[in-house]
Amino acid sequence: MTASDGTGTGKGALITGASAGLGEAFARLLASEGHDLMLVARRADRLQALADELAAAHGVRVLVCPADLSRPESAAALEAQAAAEGFQVDILINNAGLAEPVSFLNFPVADVRAMIEVMVTGLTELSHRFGGGMAARGWGRIINVSSLAAFAPNSPGMLYTGIKSYVLNMSQALDLQLKPSGVHVTALCPGFTWTEFHDTQGTREWANRLPGFLWQDAGTVVRAGWEAVSVGHPVCVPGVVNKAVASFTKHLPERLRYLFGRQARMVH
Ligand SMILES: NC(=O)c1ccc[n+]([C@@H]2O[C@H](COP(=O)([O-])OP(=O)(O)OC[C@H]3O[C@@H](n4cnc5c(N)ncnc54)[C@H](OP(=O)(O)O)[C@@H]3O)[C@@H](O)[C@H]2O)c1
């Protein structure tokens, strides 16, 4: 772990998936508000460049913590690193994620495990490891990045919808428990957002054909999420279009939801 020195006077924020997209946008937003940062992702060079930039621009302390969150020991290692550095995590942004490029049976089982580890087990364990301290101190903010997909019908063979539904439900359960202690938990459920997500998934060409009004930029999404957790909204669907889609799909009867799923694009 390397650090960019600074004298930030805000809270300490741990952000997963900070090397790109929404995580990077969260880092920029929180640093601009004077919060110290612990940046987590696999690509250390990107984290270091971002840390240097934000420390210089905002005078905050930024720790660079390269980690592969698909490894089960990562959450414990991050907690140990924070303790060793005297870094108090009062804000946790569980953002790292990916969607599988192929459907279930064609996705190697090791990759299925890794996906669940990053977005389910790892996210849950980090919430557990840092949420308790926040509650004991009487203040904390946790954003778990879910997706508009959490409200949508399933697509054939894709685990992503089920995983993001878990994130949505788990976040609400945690908020119900922790809010009386001063800890707000928000499930942030973005729709299509301009990041590297569709490049990683291999769906960029398909995504680029979607109409522009469906898309948001990462800065807009993270500002909506941060505002929501600040005021204590347990769920944040950013943008008018996404809100309309969510309120339509979440009220679909179960049978109709399944039938809609049958019409969805099959990814091989
Ligand atoms: N973009 C969208 O349209 C959209 C819509 C709804 C929800 N989301 C959700 O938003 C979150 C952020 O995605 P994004 O759009 O910002 O995508 P992105 O630009 O591809 O960024 C994904 C981030 O996750 C990190 N990551 C992936 N696997 C990791 C691992 N094993 N260990 C550590 N870090 C890992 C990546 O870092 P490294 O590769 O450096 O490790 C990267 O920083 C995800 O949870 C995604 O499901 C995105």
Side-chain angles (χ1 to χ4, degrees), residues 193-233:
T193 310
W194 295 113
T195 66
E196 296 172 12
F197 183 81
H198 288 282
D199 303 306
T200 310
Q201 196 195 4
T203 48
R204 171 61 59 205
E205 209 181 306
W206 168 80
N208 281 349
R209 289 200 295 269
L210 297 172
F213 69 85
L214 290 178
W215 290 88
Q216 289 188 295
D217 65 81
T220 304
V221 171
V222 306
R223 276 193 303 280
W226 186 236
E227 280 166 27
V229 80
S230 301
V231 299
H233 290 162

Side-chain angles (χ1 to χ4, degrees), residues 31-48:
S32 76
E33 294 191 357
H35 300 297
D36 295 332
L37 305 176
M38 235 175 121
L39 303 180
V40 180
R42 290 165 300 184
R43 287 171 290 181
D45 52 339
R46 286 202 183 194
L47 296 182
Q48 190 63 58

Side-chain angles (χ1 to χ4, degrees), residues 14-20 22-24 26 38-41 69 78 92-97 118 126:
L14 188 161
I15 304 171
T16 70
S19 61
L22 290 169
E24 180 184 332
F26 267 117
M38 235 175 121
L39 303 180
V40 180
L69 295 169
L78 287 170
L92 173 62
I93 313 287
N94 271 316
N95 160 78
V118 173
L126 285 170

Side-chain angles (χ1 to χ4, degrees), residues 1 13-14 16 37 39 49 79 103 121 126 131 144 160 173 180 184 213-214 218 231 236 240 251-252 260 265 267:
M1 177 162 59
L14 188 161
T16 70
L37 305 176
L39 303 180
E79 187 184 31
S103 58
T121 318
L126 285 170
N144 292 328
Y160 188 74
H184 300 178
F213 69 85
L214 290 178
V231 299
C236 171
V240 178
H251 292 115
L252 285 173
F260 268 114
R265 196 177 65 108
V267 183

Side-chain angles (χ1 to χ4, degrees), residues 119-120 123-124 127 144-147 149-152 160-177 185-189 234-236 250 257:
M119 291 193 283
V120 178
L123 172 146
T124 306
S127 302
N144 292 328
V145 180
S146 173
S147 171
F151 304 105
Y160 188 74
T161 299
I163 286 174
K164 291 303 189 181
S165 298
Y166 169 78
V167 175
L168 173 65
N169 282 287
M170 170 274 187
S171 302
Q172 291 177 83
L174 207 56
D175 188 66
L176 286 167
Q177 180 183 3
V185 184
T186 296
L188 174 59
C189 305
V235 180
C236 171
K250 76 181 166 193
R257 178 188 297 273

